[in-house]
PDB file of all heavy atoms in Angstrom:
ATOM      1  N   ARG N 554      85.512  -9.118   3.494  1.00 47.00           N
ATOM      2  CA  ARG N 554      84.900 -10.441   3.791  1.00 47.00           C
ATOM      3  C   ARG N 554      83.437 -10.289   4.273  1.00 47.00           C
ATOM      4  O   ARG N 554      82.574 -11.136   3.972  1.00 47.00           O
ATOM      5  CB  ARG N 554      85.717 -11.203   4.724  1.00 47.00           C
ATOM      6  CG  ARG N 554      85.761 -10.587   6.053  1.00 47.00           C
ATOM      7  CD  ARG N 554      86.623 -11.305   7.073  1.00 47.00           C
ATOM      8  NE  ARG N 554      86.895 -10.552   8.342  1.00 47.00           N
ATOM      9  CZ  ARG N 554      85.939 -10.333   9.235  1.00 47.00           C
ATOM     10  NH1 ARG N 554      84.764 -10.834   9.154  1.00 47.00           N
ATOM     11  NH2 ARG N 554      86.242  -9.641  10.320  1.00 47.00           N
ATOM     12  N   ASP N 555      83.089  -9.200   4.997  1.00 51.00           N
ATOM     13  CA  ASP N 555      81.691  -9.011   5.483  1.00 51.00           C
ATOM     14  C   ASP N 555      80.852  -8.520   4.340  1.00 51.00           C
ATOM     15  O   ASP N 555      79.726  -8.900   4.212  1.00 51.00           O
ATOM     16  CB  ASP N 555      81.678  -8.043   6.673  1.00 51.00           C
ATOM     17  CG  ASP N 555      82.434  -8.667   7.856  1.00 51.00           C
ATOM     18  OD1 ASP N 555      82.423  -9.960   7.952  1.00 51.00           O
ATOM     19  OD2 ASP N 555      82.662  -7.900   8.808  1.00 51.00           O
ATOM     20  N   PHE N 556      81.342  -7.592   3.553  1.00 49.00           N
ATOM     21  CA  PHE N 556      80.630  -6.974   2.511  1.00 49.00           C
ATOM     22  C   PHE N 556      80.124  -7.937   1.512  1.00 49.00           C
ATOM     23  O   PHE N 556      78.934  -7.890   1.073  1.00 49.00           O
ATOM     24  CB  PHE N 556      81.448  -5.845   1.751  1.00 49.00           C
ATOM     25  CG  PHE N 556      80.749  -5.205   0.676  1.00 49.00           C
ATOM     26  CD1 PHE N 556      79.744  -4.255   0.941  1.00 49.00           C
ATOM     27  CD2 PHE N 556      81.032  -5.486  -0.681  1.00 49.00           C
ATOM     28  CE1 PHE N 556      79.132  -3.617  -0.075  1.00 49.00           C
ATOM     29  CE2 PHE N 556      80.356  -4.955  -1.672  1.00 49.00           C
ATOM     30  CZ  PHE N 556      79.415  -3.997  -1.339  1.00 49.00           C
ATOM     31  N   VAL N 557      80.879  -8.986   1.124  1.00 42.00           N
ATOM     32  CA  VAL N 557      80.393  -9.936   0.106  1.00 42.00           C
ATOM     33  C   VAL N 557      79.386 -10.902   0.602  1.00 42.00           C
ATOM     34  O   VAL N 557      79.075 -11.793  -0.139  1.00 42.00           O
ATOM     35  CB  VAL N 557      81.572 -10.535  -0.609  1.00 42.00           C
ATOM     36  CG1 VAL N 557      82.439  -9.564  -1.232  1.00 42.00           C
ATOM     37  CG2 VAL N 557      82.486 -11.383   0.419  1.00 42.00           C
ATOM     38  N   ARG N 558      79.024 -10.853   1.820  1.00 57.00           N
ATOM     39  CA  ARG N 558      78.188 -11.883   2.360  1.00 57.00           C
ATOM     40  C   ARG N 558      76.643 -11.633   2.205  1.00 57.00           C
ATOM     41  O   ARG N 558      75.799 -12.178   2.938  1.00 57.00           O
ATOM     42  CB  ARG N 558      78.419 -12.112   3.932  1.00 57.00           C
ATOM     43  CG  ARG N 558      79.704 -12.755   4.227  1.00 57.00           C
ATOM     44  CD  ARG N 558      79.876 -12.924   5.611  1.00 57.00           C
ATOM     45  NE  ARG N 558      80.727 -13.950   6.011  1.00 57.00           N
ATOM     46  CZ  ARG N 558      81.219 -14.198   7.170  1.00 57.00           C
ATOM     47  NH1 ARG N 558      80.831 -13.355   8.135  1.00 57.00           N
ATOM     48  NH2 ARG N 558      81.971 -15.211   7.437  1.00 57.00           N
ATOM     49  N   GLY N 559      76.295 -10.697   1.388  1.00 69.00           N
ATOM     50  CA  GLY N 559      74.924 -10.529   1.025  1.00 69.00           C
ATOM     51  C   GLY N 559      74.147  -9.474   1.703  1.00 69.00           C
ATOM     52  O   GLY N 559      73.014  -9.337   1.454  1.00 69.00           O
ATOM     53  N   VAL N 560      74.882  -8.669   2.468  1.00 75.00           N
ATOM     54  CA  VAL N 560      74.133  -7.613   3.168  1.00 75.00           C
ATOM     55  C   VAL N 560      74.868  -6.204   2.903  1.00 75.00           C
ATOM     56  O   VAL N 560      75.671  -5.811   3.652  1.00 75.00           O
ATOM     57  CB  VAL N 560      73.972  -7.799   4.606  1.00 75.00           C
ATOM     58  CG1 VAL N 560      73.205  -6.565   5.257  1.00 75.00           C
ATOM     59  CG2 VAL N 560      73.342  -9.151   4.952  1.00 75.00           C
ATOM     60  N   PRO N 561      74.723  -5.607   1.714  1.00 78.00           N
ATOM     61  CA  PRO N 561      75.493  -4.436   1.406  1.00 78.00           C
ATOM     62  C   PRO N 561      74.977  -3.347   2.308  1.00 78.00           C
ATOM     63  O   PRO N 561      73.830  -3.276   2.759  1.00 78.00           O
ATOM     64  CB  PRO N 561      75.176  -4.158  -0.069  1.00 78.00           C
ATOM     65  CG  PRO N 561      73.941  -4.881  -0.291  1.00 78.00           C
ATOM     66  CD  PRO N 561      73.838  -6.085   0.578  1.00 78.00           C
ATOM     67  N   PRO N 562      75.802  -2.322   2.511  1.00 79.00           N
ATOM     68  CA  PRO N 562      75.374  -1.145   3.338  1.00 79.00           C
ATOM     69  C   PRO N 562      74.352  -0.401   2.593  1.00 79.00           C
ATOM     70  O   PRO N 562      74.374  -0.193   1.388  1.00 79.00           O
ATOM     71  CB  PRO N 562      76.577  -0.435   3.634  1.00 79.00           C
ATOM     72  CG  PRO N 562      77.650  -0.782   2.583  1.00 79.00           C
ATOM     73  CD  PRO N 562      77.199  -2.173   2.195  1.00 79.00           C
ATOM     74  N   MET N 563      73.246   0.045   3.348  1.00 84.00           N
ATOM     75  CA  MET N 563      72.208   0.817   2.727  1.00 84.00           C
ATOM     76  C   MET N 563      72.377   2.398   3.033  1.00 84.00           C
ATOM     77  O   MET N 563      73.061   2.705   4.033  1.00 84.00           O
ATOM     78  CB  MET N 563      70.870   0.396   3.262  1.00 84.00           C
ATOM     79  CG  MET N 563      70.491  -1.031   3.036  1.00 84.00           C
ATOM     80  SD  MET N 563      68.989  -1.528   3.683  1.00 84.00           S
ATOM     81  CE  MET N 563      69.041  -1.022   5.377  1.00 84.00           C
ATOM     82  N   CYS N 564      71.824   3.173   2.158  1.00 85.00           N
ATOM     83  CA  CYS N 564      71.870   4.568   2.388  1.00 85.00           C
ATOM     84  C   CYS N 564      70.478   4.956   3.040  1.00 85.00           C
ATOM     85  O   CYS N 564      69.462   4.862   2.372  1.00 85.00           O
ATOM     86  CB  CYS N 564      71.999   5.289   1.091  1.00 85.00           C
ATOM     87  SG  CYS N 564      72.057   7.067   1.255  1.00 85.00           S
ATOM     88  N   MET N 565      70.551   5.517   4.284  1.00 87.00           N
ATOM     89  CA  MET N 565      69.338   5.746   5.031  1.00 87.00           C
ATOM     90  C   MET N 565      68.987   7.294   4.725  1.00 87.00           C
ATOM     91  O   MET N 565      68.070   7.746   5.412  1.00 87.00           O
ATOM     92  CB  MET N 565      69.509   5.571   6.447  1.00 87.00           C
ATOM     93  CG  MET N 565      69.683   4.085   6.821  1.00 87.00           C
ATOM     94  SD  MET N 565      68.217   3.151   6.728  1.00 87.00           S
ATOM     95  CE  MET N 565      67.345   3.739   8.171  1.00 87.00           C
ATOM     96  N   ALA N 566      69.489   7.873   3.707  1.00 87.00           N
ATOM     97  CA  ALA N 566      69.016   9.186   3.440  1.00 87.00           C
ATOM     98  C   ALA N 566      67.710   9.235   2.695  1.00 87.00           C
ATOM     99  O   ALA N 566      67.019  10.164   2.548  1.00 87.00           O
ATOM    100  CB  ALA N 566      70.121  10.010   2.462  1.00 87.00           C
ATOM    101  N   LEU N 567      67.420   8.029   2.199  1.00 90.00           N
ATOM    102  CA  LEU N 567      66.147   7.768   1.441  1.00 90.00           C
ATOM    103  C   LEU N 567      65.737   6.340   1.720  1.00 90.00           C
ATOM    104  O   LEU N 567      66.521   5.416   1.386  1.00 90.00           O
ATOM    105  CB  LEU N 567      66.394   7.922  -0.076  1.00 90.00           C
ATOM    106  CG  LEU N 567      65.303   7.424  -1.000  1.00 90.00           C
ATOM    107  CD1 LEU N 567      63.995   8.195  -0.853  1.00 90.00           C
ATOM    108  CD2 LEU N 567      65.841   7.413  -2.434  1.00 90.00           C
ATOM    109  N   TYR N 568      64.531   6.150   2.347  1.00 94.00           N
ATOM    110  CA  TYR N 568      64.029   4.877   2.566  1.00 94.00           C
ATOM    111  C   TYR N 568      62.546   4.822   2.733  1.00 94.00           C
ATOM    112  O   TYR N 568      61.929   5.875   2.928  1.00 94.00           O
ATOM    113  CB  TYR N 568      64.711   4.086   3.729  1.00 94.00           C
ATOM    114  CG  TYR N 568      64.439   4.813   5.038  1.00 94.00           C
ATOM    115  CD1 TYR N 568      63.269   4.395   5.807  1.00 94.00           C
ATOM    116  CD2 TYR N 568      65.284   5.707   5.613  1.00 94.00           C
ATOM    117  CE1 TYR N 568      63.034   5.015   7.076  1.00 94.00           C
ATOM    118  CE2 TYR N 568      65.068   6.351   6.856  1.00 94.00           C
ATOM    119  CZ  TYR N 568      63.953   6.029   7.571  1.00 94.00           C
ATOM    120  OH  TYR N 568      63.724   6.512   8.884  1.00 94.00           O
ATOM    121  N   ALA N 569      61.950   3.690   2.443  1.00 96.00           N
ATOM    122  CA  ALA N 569      60.460   3.487   2.660  1.00 96.00           C
ATOM    123  C   ALA N 569      60.285   2.298   3.559  1.00 96.00           C
ATOM    124  O   ALA N 569      61.175   1.362   3.591  1.00 96.00           O
ATOM    125  CB  ALA N 569      59.839   3.158   1.315  1.00 96.00           C
ATOM    126  N   LEU N 570      59.201   2.397   4.391  1.00 96.00           N
ATOM    127  CA  LEU N 570      58.954   1.317   5.328  1.00 96.00           C
ATOM    128  C   LEU N 570      57.461   1.139   5.576  1.00 96.00           C
ATOM    129  O   LEU N 570      56.661   2.117   5.349  1.00 96.00           O
ATOM    130  CB  LEU N 570      59.610   1.558   6.696  1.00 96.00           C
ATOM    131  CG  LEU N 570      59.305   2.817   7.454  1.00 96.00           C
ATOM    132  CD1 LEU N 570      58.193   2.459   8.410  1.00 96.00           C
ATOM    133  CD2 LEU N 570      60.561   3.294   8.174  1.00 96.00           C
ATOM    134  N   ARG N 571      57.138   0.044   5.991  1.00 96.00           N
ATOM    135  CA  ARG N 571      55.746  -0.251   6.515  1.00 96.00           C
ATOM    136  C   ARG N 571      55.930  -0.212   8.028  1.00 96.00           C
ATOM    137  O   ARG N 571      56.368  -1.076   8.636  1.00 96.00           O
ATOM    138  CB  ARG N 571      55.298  -1.649   6.019  1.00 96.00           C
ATOM    139  CG  ARG N 571      55.011  -1.759   4.611  1.00 96.00           C
ATOM    140  CD  ARG N 571      54.448  -3.105   4.313  1.00 96.00           C
ATOM    141  NE  ARG N 571      54.291  -3.324   2.912  1.00 96.00           N
ATOM    142  CZ  ARG N 571      53.272  -2.942   2.230  1.00 96.00           C
ATOM    143  NH1 ARG N 571      52.306  -2.234   2.838  1.00 96.00           N
ATOM    144  NH2 ARG N 571      53.091  -3.217   0.927  1.00 96.00           N
ATOM    145  N   SER N 572      55.305   0.774   8.603  1.00 91.00           N
ATOM    146  CA  SER N 572      55.486   1.111  10.070  1.00 91.00           C
ATOM    147  C   SER N 572      54.763   0.118  10.889  1.00 91.00           C
ATOM    148  O   SER N 572      55.039  -0.234  12.052  1.00 91.00           O
ATOM    149  CB  SER N 572      55.110   2.439  10.434  1.00 91.00           C
ATOM    150  OG  SER N 572      53.808   2.684  10.080  1.00 91.00           O
ATOM    151  N   GLY N 573      53.674  -0.521  10.400  1.00 91.00           N
ATOM    152  CA  GLY N 573      52.910  -1.461  11.138  1.00 91.00           C
ATOM    153  C   GLY N 573      53.418  -2.914  11.164  1.00 91.00           C
ATOM    154  O   GLY N 573      52.875  -3.755  11.859  1.00 91.00           O
ATOM    155  N   VAL N 574      54.504  -3.105  10.492  1.00 95.00           N
ATOM    156  CA  VAL N 574      55.046  -4.536  10.472  1.00 95.00           C
ATOM    157  C   VAL N 574      56.019  -4.687  11.700  1.00 95.00           C
ATOM    158  O   VAL N 574      56.974  -3.971  11.743  1.00 95.00           O
ATOM    159  CB  VAL N 574      55.817  -4.711   9.159  1.00 95.00           C
ATOM    160  CG1 VAL N 574      56.472  -6.092   9.114  1.00 95.00           C
ATOM    161  CG2 VAL N 574      54.860  -4.560   7.950  1.00 95.00           C
ATOM    162  N   PRO N 575      55.764  -5.669  12.439  1.00 96.00           N
ATOM    163  CA  PRO N 575      56.551  -5.843  13.788  1.00 96.00           C
ATOM    164  C   PRO N 575      57.922  -6.082  13.465  1.00 96.00           C
ATOM    165  O   PRO N 575      58.793  -5.667  14.202  1.00 96.00           O
ATOM    166  CB  PRO N 575      55.857  -7.145  14.389  1.00 96.00           C
ATOM    167  CG  PRO N 575      54.443  -7.127  13.888  1.00 96.00           C
ATOM    168  CD  PRO N 575      54.498  -6.535  12.453  1.00 96.00           C
ATOM    169  N   SER N 576      58.301  -6.849  12.398  1.00 96.00           N
ATOM    170  CA  SER N 576      59.736  -7.073  12.068  1.00 96.00           C
ATOM    171  C   SER N 576      60.476  -5.802  11.725  1.00 96.00           C
ATOM    172  O   SER N 576      61.682  -5.636  12.097  1.00 96.00           O
ATOM    173  CB  SER N 576      59.884  -8.124  10.993  1.00 96.00           C
ATOM    174  OG  SER N 576      59.223  -7.713   9.793  1.00 96.00           O
ATOM    175  N   VAL N 577      59.823  -4.737  11.029  1.00 96.00           N
ATOM    176  CA  VAL N 577      60.485  -3.536  10.867  1.00 96.00           C
ATOM    177  C   VAL N 577      60.737  -2.753  12.092  1.00 96.00           C
ATOM    178  O   VAL N 577      61.806  -2.175  12.238  1.00 96.00           O
ATOM    179  CB  VAL N 577      59.640  -2.687   9.868  1.00 96.00           C
ATOM    180  CG1 VAL N 577      60.121  -1.297   9.685  1.00 96.00           C
ATOM    181  CG2 VAL N 577      59.499  -3.387   8.424  1.00 96.00           C
ATOM    182  N   ARG N 578      59.695  -2.765  12.963  1.00 95.00           N
ATOM    183  CA  ARG N 578      59.877  -2.075  14.199  1.00 95.00           C
ATOM    184  C   ARG N 578      61.038  -2.745  15.033  1.00 95.00           C
ATOM    185  O   ARG N 578      61.866  -2.032  15.644  1.00 95.00           O
ATOM    186  CB  ARG N 578      58.609  -2.149  15.000  1.00 95.00           C
ATOM    187  CG  ARG N 578      58.730  -1.463  16.347  1.00 95.00           C
ATOM    188  CD  ARG N 578      57.257  -1.133  16.961  1.00 95.00           C
ATOM    189  NE  ARG N 578      57.404  -0.273  18.063  1.00 95.00           N
ATOM    190  CZ  ARG N 578      57.384   1.033  17.952  1.00 95.00           C
ATOM    191  NH1 ARG N 578      57.231   1.597  16.700  1.00 95.00           N
ATOM    192  NH2 ARG N 578      57.469   1.853  18.928  1.00 95.00           N
ATOM    193  N   ARG N 579      61.057  -4.045  15.075  1.00 95.00           N
ATOM    194  CA  ARG N 579      62.260  -4.716  15.749  1.00 95.00           C
ATOM    195  C   ARG N 579      63.564  -4.339  15.254  1.00 95.00           C
ATOM    196  O   ARG N 579      64.508  -4.093  15.910  1.00 95.00           O
ATOM    197  CB  ARG N 579      61.999  -6.255  15.734  1.00 95.00           C
ATOM    198  CG  ARG N 579      60.931  -6.859  16.754  1.00 95.00           C
ATOM    199  CD  ARG N 579      61.032  -8.304  16.817  1.00 95.00           C
ATOM    200  NE  ARG N 579      60.818  -8.962  15.514  1.00 95.00           N
ATOM    201  CZ  ARG N 579      59.542  -9.380  15.080  1.00 95.00           C
ATOM    202  NH1 ARG N 579      58.508  -9.119  15.853  1.00 95.00           N
ATOM    203  NH2 ARG N 579      59.470 -10.089  13.975  1.00 95.00           N
ATOM    204  N   LEU N 580      63.585  -4.342  13.889  1.00 95.00           N
ATOM    205  CA  LEU N 580      64.948  -3.859  13.205  1.00 95.00           C
ATOM    206  C   LEU N 580      65.372  -2.474  13.730  1.00 95.00           C
ATOM    207  O   LEU N 580      66.487  -2.291  14.100  1.00 95.00           O
ATOM    208  CB  LEU N 580      64.733  -3.900  11.696  1.00 95.00           C
ATOM    209  CG  LEU N 580      65.941  -3.319  10.933  1.00 95.00           C
ATOM    210  CD1 LEU N 580      67.183  -4.199  11.135  1.00 95.00           C
ATOM    211  CD2 LEU N 580      65.509  -3.150   9.392  1.00 95.00           C
ATOM    212  N   LEU N 581      64.455  -1.526  13.659  1.00 95.00           N
ATOM    213  CA  LEU N 581      64.782  -0.126  13.962  1.00 95.00           C
ATOM    214  C   LEU N 581      65.003  -0.030  15.600  1.00 95.00           C
ATOM    215  O   LEU N 581      66.014   0.628  15.980  1.00 95.00           O
ATOM    216  CB  LEU N 581      63.626   0.806  13.642  1.00 95.00           C
ATOM    217  CG  LEU N 581      63.408   0.856  12.114  1.00 95.00           C
ATOM    218  CD1 LEU N 581      62.165   1.684  11.847  1.00 95.00           C
ATOM    219  CD2 LEU N 581      64.619   1.373  11.371  1.00 95.00           C
ATOM    220  N   GLU N 582      64.199  -0.718  16.341  1.00 94.00           N
ATOM    221  CA  GLU N 582      64.490  -0.690  17.857  1.00 94.00           C
ATOM    222  C   GLU N 582      65.860  -1.328  18.177  1.00 94.00           C
ATOM    223  O   GLU N 582      66.596  -0.756  18.999  1.00 94.00           O
ATOM    224  CB  GLU N 582      63.398  -1.464  18.550  1.00 94.00           C
ATOM    225  CG  GLU N 582      62.151  -0.792  18.640  1.00 94.00           C
ATOM    226  CD  GLU N 582      61.010  -1.445  19.227  1.00 94.00           C
ATOM    227  OE1 GLU N 582      61.145  -2.764  19.465  1.00 94.00           O
ATOM    228  OE2 GLU N 582      59.958  -0.945  19.540  1.00 94.00           O
ATOM    229  N   SER N 583      66.195  -2.465  17.508  1.00 93.00           N
ATOM    230  CA  SER N 583      67.532  -3.072  17.771  1.00 93.00           C
ATOM    231  C   SER N 583      68.622  -2.242  17.329  1.00 93.00           C
ATOM    232  O   SER N 583      69.705  -2.172  17.970  1.00 93.00           O
ATOM    233  CB  SER N 583      67.535  -4.448  17.086  1.00 93.00           C
ATOM    234  OG  SER N 583      66.550  -5.297  17.638  1.00 93.00           O
ATOM    235  N   ALA N 584      68.487  -1.552  16.224  1.00 92.00           N
ATOM    236  CA  ALA N 584      69.450  -0.565  15.731  1.00 92.00           C
ATOM    237  C   ALA N 584      69.675   0.508  16.696  1.00 92.00           C
ATOM    238  O   ALA N 584      70.876   0.862  17.022  1.00 92.00           O
ATOM    239  CB  ALA N 584      69.204  -0.116  14.286  1.00 92.00           C
ATOM    240  N   ALA N 585      68.620   1.143  17.118  1.00 91.00           N
ATOM    241  CA  ALA N 585      68.690   2.186  18.167  1.00 91.00           C
ATOM    242  C   ALA N 585      69.368   1.670  19.426  1.00 91.00           C
ATOM    243  O   ALA N 585      70.142   2.423  19.948  1.00 91.00           O
ATOM    244  CB  ALA N 585      67.323   2.674  18.410  1.00 91.00           C
TER     245      ALA N 585
END
Side-chain angles (χ1 to χ4, degrees):
R554 64 181 171 74
D555 291 342
F556 178 75
V557 299
R558 286 182 154 168
V560 184
M563 299 181 306
C564 180
M565 296 285 288
L567 165 69
Y568 64 88
L570 63 91
R571 290 185 184 281
S572 58
V574 174
S576 57
V577 172
R578 184 167 189 84
R579 281 191 300 269
L580 170 67
L581 298 175
E582 286 174 349
S583 297

